[in-house]
PDB file of all heavy atoms in Angstrom:
ATOM      1  N   LYS A1378      14.312  39.166  -6.222  1.00  0.00           N
ATOM      2  CA  LYS A1378      15.595  39.078  -5.242  1.00  0.00           C
ATOM      3  C   LYS A1378      16.424  37.912  -5.566  1.00  0.00           C
ATOM      4  O   LYS A1378      17.714  38.083  -5.621  1.00  0.00           O
ATOM      5  CB  LYS A1378      15.058  39.144  -3.842  1.00  0.00           C
ATOM      6  CG  LYS A1378      14.487  40.565  -3.463  1.00  0.00           C
ATOM      7  CD  LYS A1378      14.548  40.658  -1.981  1.00  0.00           C
ATOM      8  CE  LYS A1378      15.886  40.710  -1.366  1.00  0.00           C
ATOM      9  NZ  LYS A1378      15.924  41.051   0.120  1.00  0.00           N
ATOM     10  N   GLN A1379      15.853  36.756  -5.821  1.00  0.00           N
ATOM     11  CA  GLN A1379      16.592  35.587  -6.200  1.00  0.00           C
ATOM     12  C   GLN A1379      17.453  35.828  -7.500  1.00  0.00           C
ATOM     13  O   GLN A1379      18.587  35.432  -7.542  1.00  0.00           O
ATOM     14  CB  GLN A1379      15.654  34.370  -6.337  1.00  0.00           C
ATOM     15  CG  GLN A1379      15.055  33.941  -5.115  1.00  0.00           C
ATOM     16  CD  GLN A1379      13.875  32.976  -5.193  1.00  0.00           C
ATOM     17  OE1 GLN A1379      13.737  32.288  -6.306  1.00  0.00           O
ATOM     18  NE2 GLN A1379      13.102  32.829  -4.204  1.00  0.00           N
ATOM     19  N   THR A1380      16.702  36.446  -8.423  1.00  0.00           N
ATOM     20  CA  THR A1380      17.456  36.603  -9.724  1.00  0.00           C
ATOM     21  C   THR A1380      18.517  37.638  -9.627  1.00  0.00           C
ATOM     22  O   THR A1380      19.700  37.365 -10.087  1.00  0.00           O
ATOM     23  CB  THR A1380      16.443  37.313 -10.707  1.00  0.00           C
ATOM     24  OG1 THR A1380      15.269  36.397 -11.056  1.00  0.00           O
ATOM     25  CG2 THR A1380      17.096  37.614 -12.018  1.00  0.00           C
ATOM     26  N   LEU A1381      18.427  38.691  -8.883  1.00  0.00           N
ATOM     27  CA  LEU A1381      19.430  39.694  -8.685  1.00  0.00           C
ATOM     28  C   LEU A1381      20.563  39.052  -7.957  1.00  0.00           C
ATOM     29  O   LEU A1381      21.748  39.366  -8.268  1.00  0.00           O
ATOM     30  CB  LEU A1381      18.841  40.987  -7.987  1.00  0.00           C
ATOM     31  CG  LEU A1381      17.874  41.765  -8.796  1.00  0.00           C
ATOM     32  CD1 LEU A1381      17.235  42.861  -7.901  1.00  0.00           C
ATOM     33  CD2 LEU A1381      18.523  42.407  -9.912  1.00  0.00           C
ATOM     34  N   ARG A1382      20.304  38.257  -6.905  1.00  0.00           N
ATOM     35  CA  ARG A1382      21.336  37.663  -6.083  1.00  0.00           C
ATOM     36  C   ARG A1382      22.141  36.615  -7.021  1.00  0.00           C
ATOM     37  O   ARG A1382      23.337  36.628  -6.892  1.00  0.00           O
ATOM     38  CB  ARG A1382      20.778  36.860  -4.894  1.00  0.00           C
ATOM     39  CG  ARG A1382      21.712  36.216  -3.891  1.00  0.00           C
ATOM     40  CD  ARG A1382      21.076  35.840  -2.613  1.00  0.00           C
ATOM     41  NE  ARG A1382      20.116  34.882  -2.828  1.00  0.00           N
ATOM     42  CZ  ARG A1382      18.825  34.989  -2.500  1.00  0.00           C
ATOM     43  NH1 ARG A1382      18.374  36.205  -1.915  1.00  0.00           N
ATOM     44  NH2 ARG A1382      17.913  34.042  -2.647  1.00  0.00           N
ATOM     45  N   ALA A1383      21.414  35.898  -7.827  1.00  0.00           N
ATOM     46  CA  ALA A1383      22.099  34.967  -8.675  1.00  0.00           C
ATOM     47  C   ALA A1383      23.057  35.682  -9.704  1.00  0.00           C
ATOM     48  O   ALA A1383      24.054  35.200 -10.001  1.00  0.00           O
ATOM     49  CB  ALA A1383      21.119  33.963  -9.346  1.00  0.00           C
ATOM     50  N   LEU A1384      22.500  36.656 -10.208  1.00  0.00           N
ATOM     51  CA  LEU A1384      23.193  37.504 -11.161  1.00  0.00           C
ATOM     52  C   LEU A1384      24.557  38.061 -10.609  1.00  0.00           C
ATOM     53  O   LEU A1384      25.609  38.054 -11.163  1.00  0.00           O
ATOM     54  CB  LEU A1384      22.350  38.580 -11.817  1.00  0.00           C
ATOM     55  CG  LEU A1384      21.313  38.108 -12.876  1.00  0.00           C
ATOM     56  CD1 LEU A1384      20.338  39.392 -13.119  1.00  0.00           C
ATOM     57  CD2 LEU A1384      21.962  37.663 -14.171  1.00  0.00           C
ATOM     58  N   ALA A1385      24.389  38.658  -9.379  1.00  0.00           N
ATOM     59  CA  ALA A1385      25.602  39.221  -8.715  1.00  0.00           C
ATOM     60  C   ALA A1385      26.567  38.102  -8.423  1.00  0.00           C
ATOM     61  O   ALA A1385      27.853  38.377  -8.494  1.00  0.00           O
ATOM     62  CB  ALA A1385      25.064  39.866  -7.462  1.00  0.00           C
ATOM     63  N   ALA A1386      26.203  36.861  -8.190  1.00  0.00           N
ATOM     64  CA  ALA A1386      27.101  35.840  -7.912  1.00  0.00           C
ATOM     65  C   ALA A1386      27.534  35.015  -9.116  1.00  0.00           C
ATOM     66  O   ALA A1386      28.415  34.340  -9.052  1.00  0.00           O
ATOM     67  CB  ALA A1386      26.422  34.877  -6.955  1.00  0.00           C
ATOM     68  N   GLY A1387      26.966  35.397 -10.265  1.00  0.00           N
ATOM     69  CA  GLY A1387      27.276  34.760 -11.592  1.00  0.00           C
ATOM     70  C   GLY A1387      26.858  33.292 -11.548  1.00  0.00           C
ATOM     71  O   GLY A1387      27.523  32.355 -12.097  1.00  0.00           O
ATOM     72  N   ASP A1388      25.837  32.905 -10.649  1.00  0.00           N
ATOM     73  CA  ASP A1388      25.350  31.562 -10.465  1.00  0.00           C
ATOM     74  C   ASP A1388      24.292  31.126 -11.597  1.00  0.00           C
ATOM     75  O   ASP A1388      23.108  31.193 -11.219  1.00  0.00           O
ATOM     76  CB  ASP A1388      24.775  31.372  -9.098  1.00  0.00           C
ATOM     77  CG  ASP A1388      24.383  30.002  -8.762  1.00  0.00           C
ATOM     78  OD1 ASP A1388      24.714  29.084  -9.480  1.00  0.00           O
ATOM     79  OD2 ASP A1388      23.893  29.736  -7.638  1.00  0.00           O
ATOM     80  N   MET A1389      24.725  30.868 -12.649  1.00  0.00           N
ATOM     81  CA  MET A1389      23.737  30.429 -13.771  1.00  0.00           C
ATOM     82  C   MET A1389      23.010  29.297 -13.515  1.00  0.00           C
ATOM     83  O   MET A1389      21.983  29.064 -14.085  1.00  0.00           O
ATOM     84  CB  MET A1389      24.572  30.456 -15.129  1.00  0.00           C
ATOM     85  CG  MET A1389      25.361  31.691 -15.566  1.00  0.00           C
ATOM     86  SD  MET A1389      24.339  33.139 -15.483  1.00  0.00           S
ATOM     87  CE  MET A1389      23.259  32.846 -16.816  1.00  0.00           C
ATOM     88  N   ALA A1390      23.411  28.431 -12.602  1.00  0.00           N
ATOM     89  CA  ALA A1390      22.700  27.136 -12.205  1.00  0.00           C
ATOM     90  C   ALA A1390      21.637  27.427 -11.276  1.00  0.00           C
ATOM     91  O   ALA A1390      20.815  26.504 -10.975  1.00  0.00           O
ATOM     92  CB  ALA A1390      23.636  26.194 -11.753  1.00  0.00           C
ATOM     93  N   ALA A1391      21.593  28.639 -10.610  1.00  0.00           N
ATOM     94  CA  ALA A1391      20.430  28.848  -9.766  1.00  0.00           C
ATOM     95  C   ALA A1391      19.138  28.784 -10.437  1.00  0.00           C
ATOM     96  O   ALA A1391      18.925  29.270 -11.582  1.00  0.00           O
ATOM     97  CB  ALA A1391      20.689  30.339  -9.238  1.00  0.00           C
ATOM     98  N   PRO A1392      18.088  28.315  -9.663  1.00  0.00           N
ATOM     99  CA  PRO A1392      16.784  28.125 -10.342  1.00  0.00           C
ATOM    100  C   PRO A1392      16.269  29.517 -11.021  1.00  0.00           C
ATOM    101  O   PRO A1392      15.610  29.389 -12.017  1.00  0.00           O
ATOM    102  CB  PRO A1392      15.843  27.732  -9.252  1.00  0.00           C
ATOM    103  CG  PRO A1392      16.876  26.941  -8.312  1.00  0.00           C
ATOM    104  CD  PRO A1392      18.099  27.833  -8.391  1.00  0.00           C
ATOM    105  N   ALA A1393      16.590  30.602 -10.331  1.00  0.00           N
ATOM    106  CA  ALA A1393      16.111  31.915 -10.832  1.00  0.00           C
ATOM    107  C   ALA A1393      16.564  32.172 -12.255  1.00  0.00           C
ATOM    108  O   ALA A1393      15.977  32.901 -13.057  1.00  0.00           O
ATOM    109  CB  ALA A1393      16.412  33.049  -9.910  1.00  0.00           C
ATOM    110  N   LEU A1394      17.775  31.597 -12.622  1.00  0.00           N
ATOM    111  CA  LEU A1394      18.335  31.848 -13.940  1.00  0.00           C
ATOM    112  C   LEU A1394      18.198  30.554 -14.855  1.00  0.00           C
ATOM    113  O   LEU A1394      17.968  30.730 -16.049  1.00  0.00           O
ATOM    114  CB  LEU A1394      19.792  32.124 -13.825  1.00  0.00           C
ATOM    115  CG  LEU A1394      20.074  33.512 -13.035  1.00  0.00           C
ATOM    116  CD1 LEU A1394      21.628  33.784 -13.078  1.00  0.00           C
ATOM    117  CD2 LEU A1394      19.335  34.721 -13.524  1.00  0.00           C
ATOM    118  N   SER A1395      18.247  29.449 -14.254  1.00  0.00           N
ATOM    119  CA  SER A1395      18.117  28.148 -15.062  1.00  0.00           C
ATOM    120  C   SER A1395      16.705  27.983 -15.457  1.00  0.00           C
ATOM    121  O   SER A1395      16.304  27.119 -16.450  1.00  0.00           O
ATOM    122  CB  SER A1395      18.782  27.005 -14.389  1.00  0.00           C
ATOM    123  OG  SER A1395      18.155  26.767 -13.073  1.00  0.00           O
ATOM    124  N   GLN A1396      15.767  28.374 -14.674  1.00  0.00           N
ATOM    125  CA  GLN A1396      14.378  28.074 -14.879  1.00  0.00           C
ATOM    126  C   GLN A1396      13.505  29.355 -14.627  1.00  0.00           C
ATOM    127  O   GLN A1396      12.607  29.507 -13.852  1.00  0.00           O
ATOM    128  CB  GLN A1396      13.789  26.965 -13.914  1.00  0.00           C
ATOM    129  CG  GLN A1396      14.515  25.692 -13.999  1.00  0.00           C
ATOM    130  CD  GLN A1396      14.124  24.740 -12.928  1.00  0.00           C
ATOM    131  OE1 GLN A1396      12.896  24.608 -12.590  1.00  0.00           O
ATOM    132  NE2 GLN A1396      15.049  24.188 -12.241  1.00  0.00           N
ATOM    133  N   PRO A1397      13.976  30.439 -15.514  1.00  0.00           N
ATOM    134  CA  PRO A1397      13.385  31.782 -15.127  1.00  0.00           C
ATOM    135  C   PRO A1397      11.899  31.892 -15.453  1.00  0.00           C
ATOM    136  O   PRO A1397      11.351  32.907 -15.016  1.00  0.00           O
ATOM    137  CB  PRO A1397      14.231  32.646 -16.019  1.00  0.00           C
ATOM    138  CG  PRO A1397      14.512  31.715 -17.162  1.00  0.00           C
ATOM    139  CD  PRO A1397      14.828  30.436 -16.654  1.00  0.00           C
ATOM    140  N   TYR A1398      11.237  31.011 -16.065  1.00  0.00           N
ATOM    141  CA  TYR A1398       9.831  31.224 -16.484  1.00  0.00           C
ATOM    142  C   TYR A1398       8.880  30.146 -15.791  1.00  0.00           C
ATOM    143  O   TYR A1398       7.887  29.899 -16.214  1.00  0.00           O
ATOM    144  CB  TYR A1398       9.614  31.150 -17.996  1.00  0.00           C
ATOM    145  CG  TYR A1398      10.656  32.071 -18.704  1.00  0.00           C
ATOM    146  CD1 TYR A1398      11.661  31.621 -19.516  1.00  0.00           C
ATOM    147  CD2 TYR A1398      10.498  33.435 -18.497  1.00  0.00           C
ATOM    148  CE1 TYR A1398      12.552  32.552 -20.003  1.00  0.00           C
ATOM    149  CE2 TYR A1398      11.420  34.330 -19.085  1.00  0.00           C
ATOM    150  CZ  TYR A1398      12.455  33.885 -19.889  1.00  0.00           C
ATOM    151  OH  TYR A1398      13.246  34.821 -20.397  1.00  0.00           O
ATOM    152  N   ALA A1399       9.433  29.493 -14.788  1.00  0.00           N
ATOM    153  CA  ALA A1399       8.643  28.441 -14.025  1.00  0.00           C
ATOM    154  C   ALA A1399       7.403  29.042 -13.429  1.00  0.00           C
ATOM    155  O   ALA A1399       6.469  28.342 -13.066  1.00  0.00           O
ATOM    156  CB  ALA A1399       9.516  27.806 -12.976  1.00  0.00           C
ATOM    157  N   TYR A1400       7.369  30.327 -13.169  1.00  0.00           N
ATOM    158  CA  TYR A1400       6.188  30.941 -12.626  1.00  0.00           C
ATOM    159  C   TYR A1400       4.985  31.125 -13.482  1.00  0.00           C
ATOM    160  O   TYR A1400       3.908  31.518 -13.076  1.00  0.00           O
ATOM    161  CB  TYR A1400       6.515  32.451 -12.067  1.00  0.00           C
ATOM    162  CG  TYR A1400       6.808  33.386 -13.152  1.00  0.00           C
ATOM    163  CD1 TYR A1400       5.756  34.158 -13.788  1.00  0.00           C
ATOM    164  CD2 TYR A1400       8.081  33.511 -13.765  1.00  0.00           C
ATOM    165  CE1 TYR A1400       6.118  35.036 -14.784  1.00  0.00           C
ATOM    166  CE2 TYR A1400       8.338  34.353 -14.720  1.00  0.00           C
ATOM    167  CZ  TYR A1400       7.379  35.128 -15.274  1.00  0.00           C
ATOM    168  OH  TYR A1400       7.468  35.973 -16.343  1.00  0.00           O
ATOM    169  N   ALA A1401       5.184  30.721 -14.823  1.00  0.00           N
ATOM    170  CA  ALA A1401       4.155  31.080 -15.883  1.00  0.00           C
ATOM    171  C   ALA A1401       2.688  30.827 -15.486  1.00  0.00           C
ATOM    172  O   ALA A1401       1.773  31.665 -15.672  1.00  0.00           O
ATOM    173  CB  ALA A1401       4.518  30.420 -17.139  1.00  0.00           C
TER     174      ALA A1401
END
């Protein structure tokens, strides 16, 4: 949900997009 929200807003600085693999 965080990723989809950031993509819709074009917010490339959001953690979901700037650190997409932090869950590893």
Side-chain angles (χ1 to χ4, degrees):
K1378 289 199 65 173
Q1379 291 167 18
T1380 298
L1381 291 170
R1382 187 166 60 242
L1384 287 169
D1388 183 7
M1389 302 306 295
L1394 299 185
S1395 63
Q1396 304 171 45
Y1398 308 112
Y1400 69 88

